[in-house]
Amino acid sequence: MRHLFYWLILGILGFTLLTACNHHTSHNTSSLPKQQTAECRMVKHTMGETCVPLHPQRVVTLSLSTLGNTLALGVIPIGATNEVQTEKKSLTYLKDKTKGIKFLGISQPNLEATLLLKPDVIIGLDWFKPIYPLLSQIAPTVLDKSDYTNWQKHLSFVAEVLGKQKNEKALWQHYFQRIEKLKSVIGYRYQNKKISFIYVGRNQIHIDARNSYAGSIINDANLQRPSSQNIDAPYGAFPVSLEELAKADGDVLFVTSFSINGDEFLKKQQQEPLWQKLKAVQENHVYYVDFMSWAASNMLGTDAVIDDLFKYLVNVP
């Protein structure tokens, strides 16, 4: 049966792929049945323009940031991809919100499973340009630019596709209300303090920059960063060697890892003299946070980051 559907997809989409390679069009309306074109609106995206249903009911998302924003806007997708092995790193900030959503694969979606879901819109990032012709024949497909340093823009993009601009406005109101409350409670306590954030992977330590997802939240809370981190960087982060570990220091140090190997590497580094010399370590101001929350790059994850800032900056002695 699996092979049957595979060849069915190829048979249906083969001609379209062939013509797409020889004749590019920026108006992708052919994927929408003619009877629906009067009830759709054009959305600009990285592949051109696509006519999407006015009120999509069967939504498929192709990244965690898209999934989180879709859920935050009050829409439960019928299917979604995931960039991580959830058995290794749980998506704690999503809690039970993904219950009932069909898992479509790690990074790349299973086209057969996606076709069977009969979505009326597919939303993702431009990672999926190579398979865009296939996706757009399953359903109207829109791809946003993958910009790790501008997660706010992707929220607006998803809201536009779903017709949920009012919901987006409410989300921003909630976000800034929490930020203002955090600032009010903190007061002048951290006026002269530096907040550092690093994450650890396989044999590598990364410094989180000012223009990252977590960095933007810390900045909105008027919390100061060490000079080495108060910069913009491609993808919002940059690696440092063990000899440069001083760049990770601050009055408060938030630490996370994005893999089991990262956990093991971090444990080894914590025994090293260079780690022990860090001011935050010596003053016992090192706090371990959930990587998937602090790298969520979607509105749903902001509450988890702000919760941690309350927990470790306000509620600790």
Side-chain angles (χ1 to χ4, degrees), residues 176-188:
F176 283 112
Q177 283 173 355
R178 295 211 68 200
I179 287 291
E180 289 303 316
K181 182 177 180 181
L182 176 64
K183 289 160 61 176
S184 176
V185 173
I186 287 178
Y188 296 102

Side-chain angles (χ1 to χ4, degrees), residues 119-307:
D120 50 24
V121 69
I122 299 172
I123 313 173
L125 297 173
D126 58 6
W127 307 335
F128 302 97
K129 283 183 178 180
I131 60 171
Y132 176 76
L134 287 169
L135 293 169
S136 63
Q137 289 304 305
I138 294 174
T141 300
V142 289
L143 303 181
D144 193 19
K145 181 180 179 181
S146 54
D147 188 349
Y148 295 98
T149 63
N150 198 349
W151 63 273
Q152 302 94 330
K153 183 179 178 181
H154 187 54
L155 171 64
S156 296
F157 177 80
V158 176
E160 179 189 3
V161 175
L162 298 177
K164 297 291 184 179
Q165 289 90 342
K166 289 184 178 180
N167 297 51
E168 181 195 3
K169 184 177 180 180
L171 288 174
W172 281 119
Q173 289 175 340
H174 170 76
Y175 171 80
F176 283 112
Q177 283 173 355
R178 295 211 68 200
I179 287 291
E180 289 303 316
K181 182 177 180 181
L182 176 64
K183 289 160 61 176
S184 176
V185 173
I186 287 178
Y188 296 102
R189 190 184 311 185
Y190 291 91
Q191 185 177 15
N192 298 314
K193 304 289 186 181
K194 305 298 183 182
I195 309 300
S196 174
F197 175 44
I198 66 172
Y199 56 92
V200 184
R202 182 195 295 266
N203 300 324
Q204 186 70 70
I205 294 175
H206 297 263
I207 298 290
D208 190 80
R210 177 179 57 194
N211 62 330
S212 70
Y213 170 71
S216 68
I217 299 173
I218 293 171
N219 183 65
D220 285 342
N222 286 344
L223 295 167
Q224 303 301 310
R225 304 295 299 278
S227 58
S228 61
Q229 302 175 24
N230 195 32
I231 60 173
D232 292 340
Y235 306 108
F238 57 94
V240 292
S241 65
L242 297 180
E243 291 74 21
E244 299 175 298
L245 195 57
K247 292 182 179 180
D249 205 0
D251 297 283
V252 173
L253 174 58
F254 288 103
V255 183
T256 191
S257 66
F258 56 84
S259 68
I260 293 177
N261 290 327
D263 293 337
E264 295 173 350
F265 179 68
L266 178 59
K267 288 179 181 178
K268 292 180 180 179
Q269 300 318 306
Q270 289 170 329
Q271 308 305 316
E272 296 293 330
L274 287 175
W275 179 271
Q276 297 296 328
K277 290 180 181 179
L278 296 178
K279 179 180 180 181
V281 173
Q282 293 179 350
E283 297 184 359
N284 199 31
H285 290 157
V286 180
Y287 306 114
Y288 300 91
V289 294
D290 174 53
F291 172 76
M292 296 311 302
S293 299
W294 281 60
S297 297
N298 64 65
M299 182 57 86
L300 202 61
T302 60
D303 272 332
V305 177
I306 296 172
D307 284 346

